[in-house]
Amino acid sequence: LRRVVARERLHRTEAAHAARQIRVAAEAAEANRREFAEIGRQAGPLLHRIADGERLEMLRPDLRVVEGAIRDRIRLPGLQQPILTEAIADRRRAGVHVLMLGEQEGGVLPGPDCVAPLRRLIAETDAGRVSVRILPPGRGAAASVVQQRDDGVRRFMIGADGTVLARL
């Protein structure tokens, strides 16, 4: 009887484990499907314009915006907030090179208080390049912003609460 009970328990444990794995795989597949659908929604109209024969020279600003948005979405999915993505798209359309960097796994994304200063610093960059980096945990700041403009380079350290900790 013990062997029968032990086998039955093992079978139920294995069945529960298999069911969990199936559920996790289905959830991951659904998340991937949603992500690909969103990327398709972003890139689709531009790809149709290219397929219709519109000249690439005329599409450059839009190409820069869409390519950067997809890259940002992959690098920093947690920062896909309209207030920030709209400012980034606006600067890219204006010819500013915007680079977003951050921690993929295990990193803590800045809270909503930090997003407004990031948006402001991105939006005020009128030429050149702006790099935003979400810093790993344990640093004194949540993010850094580097503006490389015609008048020089400026660096800002932003705290998790949105305060500008340093201007260099």
Side-chain angles (χ1 to χ4, degrees), residues 1-97:
L1 183 60
R2 280 187 206 156
R3 282 189 300 212
V4 170
V5 169
R7 268 193 248 153
E8 183 62 24
R9 284 184 178 164
L10 179 63
H11 174 70
R12 287 183 183 183
T13 301
E14 289 173 351
H17 180 69
R20 253 190 325 271
Q21 285 181 319
I22 290 170
R23 188 177 60 249
V24 166
E27 289 170 2
E30 178 59 22
N32 285 341
R33 188 198 62 73
R34 283 192 309 270
E35 187 65 19
F36 287 137
E38 179 58 27
I39 289 171
R41 186 193 65 73
Q42 284 181 303
L46 188 58
L47 293 174
H48 286 295
R49 288 170 61 192
I50 293 170
D52 290 342
E54 197 168 329
R55 294 180 45 161
L56 289 178
E57 295 80 30
M58 304 305 291
L59 293 174
R60 253 184 235 290
D62 293 332
L63 284 167
R64 190 174 20 254
V65 170
V66 170
E67 182 272 333
I70 292 169
R71 186 174 7 93
D72 295 344
R73 184 173 194 79
I74 292 167
R75 286 184 180 164
L76 290 167
L79 279 185
Q80 295 301 302
Q81 300 175 26
I83 187 173
L84 200 53
T85 56
E86 289 168 10
I88 293 168
D90 179 61
R91 293 296 78 210
R92 285 183 173 140
R93 261 189 213 90
V96 175
H97 180 76

Side-chain angles (χ1 to χ4, degrees), residues 108-111 114 133-136 139-144 158-161 165:
V108 178
L109 292 172
C114 190
R133 180 170 180 235
I134 306 307
L135 300 173
R139 301 276 178 100
S144 71
I158 310 295
D161 63 355
L165 302 173

